[in-house]
């Protein structure tokens, strides 16, 4: 935390190297949030890049309260929402344009992510099911599930990040998990339940 | 009775798994789970769901590494670009191009002003600041030098024509690429 403060202060003075350290430290989490929200690696890269650039531009206005992590996360989140709204509008237009071309793959369908040679097909298939299930959640629920399951944030941290009440975090999380469980039920092993005490 | 109790427990099962409950409530749920298979099943399903979500998001290390390296260099590059843009001199931005367009009007007005100044010089006959002579028949009345541009006012001896040369250093990052743009009035 204190190293963050030092890097933040130096970044505010225009030190690009100090900012680069902040990027190195948080890029993975920023990237995973963007990826989790969009389900697309290329989009996630674009969003994460723009989030960091935006952060650098507005570094002087950053007060330091709540920490750099919360701040960059909020920027990323807003950036993602902006992106998805634009994308949604674009896709809607494309869809209207392509409605007659039945041979063409519907642009609304998710594009499979780039090849992953280390994984076997079954695991890949399962990952796709999971990603699609997460993507199908409303964005408010999706963000909460990502912050909890992937980022491992506490309820209080999620509430602060998304500027919602803790009770709202709990109810959204509850809903999101129920929805995901419905989809993932075929992959849940009942045997493991019986064996445990 | 038991069902009622279970539905209450199930409401707290998520926060229980997340370690977000007070110790007393957490202990109470733990006690219930010991005796209740259906609530234990619900907890196990939740844990497996959580595990699946994490799995689904796990990249191969190779992919993750290449993506993050790409991101890091893209951010670095972007910042350098951003900084270069913000350091560009004022005249290369909107204000600069606006003034450049206005130069077509401003420069002839400056000529008029120079002519008035000429009358002033004639009347009061102050020491004329001739900096250098660019040609046999030309005389520089005045020159205004800025950091990146220079304006020269010429007056030809043979005619009444005044020529103004505006020098703009178009590429501030490269040396000696001055280009002279003539205006005449
Ligand atoms: Zn029970």
């Amino acid at each position: 935390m204190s190293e963050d403060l030092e890097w933040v202060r130096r970044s505010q003075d225009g030190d690009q190297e100090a900012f680069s350290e902040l990027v190195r430290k948080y890029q993975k989490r920023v990237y995973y949030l963007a990826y989790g929200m969009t389900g697309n690696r290329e989009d996630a890269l674009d969003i994460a890049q723009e989030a960091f650039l935006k952060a650098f531009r507005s570094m002087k206005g950053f007060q330091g309260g709540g920490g750099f992590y919360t701040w960059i996360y909020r920027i990323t989140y807003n950036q993602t929402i902006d992106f998805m709204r634009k994308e949604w509008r674009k896709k809607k237009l494309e869809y209207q344009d392509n409605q007659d071309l039945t041979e063409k793959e519907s642009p609304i369908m998710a594009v499979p992510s780039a090849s992953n040679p280390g994984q076997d097909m079954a695991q890949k298939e399962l990952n796709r099911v999971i990603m699609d299930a997460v993507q199908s959640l409303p964005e408010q629920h999706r963000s909460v599930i990502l912050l909890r399951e992937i980022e491992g944030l506490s309820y209080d941290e999620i509430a602060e990040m998304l500027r919602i009440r803790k009770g709202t975090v709990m109810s959204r999380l509850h809903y999101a998990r129920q929805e995901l469980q419905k989809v993932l039920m075929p992959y849940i092993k009942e045997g493991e339940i019986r064996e445990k005490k | 009775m038991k069902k009622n109790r279970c539905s209450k427990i199930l409401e707290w099962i998520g926060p229980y798994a997340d370690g977000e409950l007070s110790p007393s409530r957490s202990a109470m749920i733990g006690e219930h789970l010991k005796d209740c298979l259906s609530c234990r099943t619900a907890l196990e399903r939740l844990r497996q769901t959580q595990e699946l979500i994490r799995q689904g998001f796990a990249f191969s290390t190779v992919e993750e590494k290449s993506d993050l390296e790409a991101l890091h260099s893209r951010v670095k590059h972007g910042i350098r670009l951003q900084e270069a843009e913000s350091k560009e001199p004022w005249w290369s931005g909107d204000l600069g191009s606006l003034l450049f367009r206005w130069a077509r009007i401003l420069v002839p007005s400056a000529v008029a002003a120079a002519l008035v100044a000429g009358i002033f010089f004639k009347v009061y006959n102050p020491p004329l600041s001739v900096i250098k002579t660019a040609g046999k028949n030309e005389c520089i009345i005045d020159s205004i030098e800025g950091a990146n541009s220079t304006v020269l006012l010429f007056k030809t001896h043979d005619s009444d024509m005044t020529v103004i040369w505006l020098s703009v250093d178009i590429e501030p990052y490269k040396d000696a690429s001055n280009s002279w743009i003539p205006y005449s009035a």
Side-chain angles (χ1 to χ4, degrees):
Chain A
M1 260 303 160
S2 60
E3 66 177 8
D4 279 17
L5 279 177
E6 176 62 22
W7 287 334
V8 164
R9 206 169 41 233
R10 279 167 49 197
S11 302
Q12 285 173 326
D13 293 336
D15 184 340
Q16 293 180 25
E17 277 310 308
F19 189 76
S20 185
E21 292 297 331
L22 287 168
V23 174
R24 202 179 297 283
K25 186 166 173 184
Y26 292 112
Q27 61 178 359
K28 189 171 168 179
R29 306 174 83 169
V30 162
Y31 175 63
Y32 268 80
L33 175 66
Y35 177 69
M37 292 295 281
T38 60
N40 181 299
R41 286 169 63 192
E42 259 315 304
D43 292 345
L45 275 177
D46 287 344
I47 291 166
Q49 177 191 0
E50 200 36 59
F52 279 120
L53 291 181
K54 205 169 192 175
F56 189 75
R57 281 199 296 274
S58 36
M59 207 64 206
K60 286 214 159 72
F62 173 54
Q63 301 294 314
F68 181 77
Y69 171 60
T70 310
W71 188 63
I72 186 68
Y73 231 79
R74 203 174 282 145
I75 292 175
T76 309
Y77 180 71
N78 290 335
Q79 198 70 29
T80 309
I81 299 296
D82 275 359
F83 175 87
M84 290 194 306
R85 291 201 178 130
K86 270 185 217 135
E87 208 53 16
W88 182 76
R89 243 177 267 135
K90 215 164 76 189
K91 276 178 183 167
K92 211 171 108 183
L93 288 175
E94 273 172 22
Y95 183 67
Q96 282 164 356
D97 288 345
N98 293 330
Q99 248 178 346
D100 302 328
L101 308 168
T102 40
E103 287 162 41
K104 211 168 172 179
E105 192 189 26
S106 163
I108 281 173
M109 274 171 70
V111 181
S113 64
S115 68
N116 205 344
Q119 272 175 331
D120 59 89
M121 282 308 288
Q123 183 62 46
K124 245 172 118 173
E125 197 72 28
L126 175 57
N127 287 359
R128 188 33 56 188
V129 171
I130 295 164
M131 280 304 282
D132 287 349
V134 173
Q135 298 310 304
S136 71
L137 293 171
E139 67 191 31
Q140 295 163 323
H141 296 113
R142 204 183 320 158
S143 54
V144 172
I145 207 90
L146 290 171
L147 293 175
R148 176 61 222 164
E149 311 295 21
I150 309 300
E151 298 300 326
L153 298 191
S154 72
Y155 292 3
D156 280 327
E157 286 169 323
I158 298 171
E160 197 202 334
M161 191 80 78
L162 301 178
R163 297 198 164 117
I164 52 177
R165 282 170 40 238
K166 195 173 169 178
T168 312
V169 173
M170 285 167 78
S171 63
R172 283 184 188 176
L173 199 52
H174 185 76
Y175 171 87
R177 279 170 169 167
Q178 276 191 327
E179 289 302 301
L180 291 175
Q181 203 171 300
K182 270 185 225 160
V183 181
L184 299 174
M185 211 51 189
Y187 304 95
I188 291 172
K189 299 171 194 111
E190 296 291 334
E192 288 179 24
I193 296 165
R194 308 260 175 245
E195 284 159 24
K196 278 179 188 167
K197 275 189 186 165
Chain B
M1 177 66 197
K2 199 196 171 215
K3 254 199 178 143
N4 222 336
R5 177 130 185 85
C6 286
S7 73
K8 271 268 167 282
I9 295 289
L10 289 178
E11 271 177 39
W12 294 107
I13 209 86
Y16 172 79
D18 293 329
E20 291 273 351
L21 294 181
S22 66
S24 61
R25 185 168 262 154
S26 188
M28 186 194 84
I29 289 173
E31 278 302 306
H32 176 88
L33 286 171
K34 275 184 197 161
D35 305 324
C36 181
L37 178 67
S38 83
C39 283
R40 239 175 20 241
T41 306
L43 177 63
E44 185 52 33
R45 275 182 190 152
L46 170 65
R47 288 203 164 128
Q48 284 194 42
T49 305
Q50 288 179 295
E51 193 43 51
L52 282 169
I53 296 167
R54 280 182 212 121
Q55 259 179 44
F57 276 85
F59 280 95
S60 74
T61 6
V62 182
E63 275 177 331
E64 185 187 283
K65 199 165 172 261
S66 80
D67 282 5
L68 292 182
E69 268 166 17
L71 175 60
H72 198 257
S73 67
R74 274 167 68 169
V75 171
K76 246 185 156 165
H77 181 70
I79 284 173
R80 243 179 275 135
L81 272 181
Q82 244 176 44
E83 287 296 276
E85 264 167 37
S86 68
K87 273 183 189 135
E88 267 180 32
W90 60 270
W91 49 262
S92 70
D94 287 345
L95 180 65
S97 69
L98 184 73
L99 284 180
F100 198 77
R101 257 181 282 134
W102 272 88
R104 281 161 211 283
I105 299 158
L106 289 174
V107 169
S109 327
V111 174
L115 291 175
V116 172
I119 294 162
F120 173 83
F121 290 145
K122 259 191 188 147
V123 174
Y124 292 99
N125 204 19
L128 190 64
S129 63
V130 176
I131 296 159
K132 62 177 175 188
T133 316
K136 264 185 199 165
N137 298 323
E138 289 164 347
C139 165
I140 296 171
I141 303 170
D142 208 347
S143 82
I144 306 152
E145 267 188 72
N148 299 301
S149 58
T150 309
V151 177
L152 298 179
L153 305 180
F154 288 85
K155 186 158 174 65
T156 56
H157 290 301
D158 300 346
S159 68
D160 292 333
M161 197 166 84
T162 303
V163 182
I164 296 178
W165 288 85
L166 173 66
S167 151
V168 178
D169 194 354
I170 284 173
E171 292 225 332
Y173 304 112
K174 285 178 193 161
D175 295 323
S177 62
N178 285 16
S179 59
W180 290 86
I181 305 151
Y183 283 88
S184 62

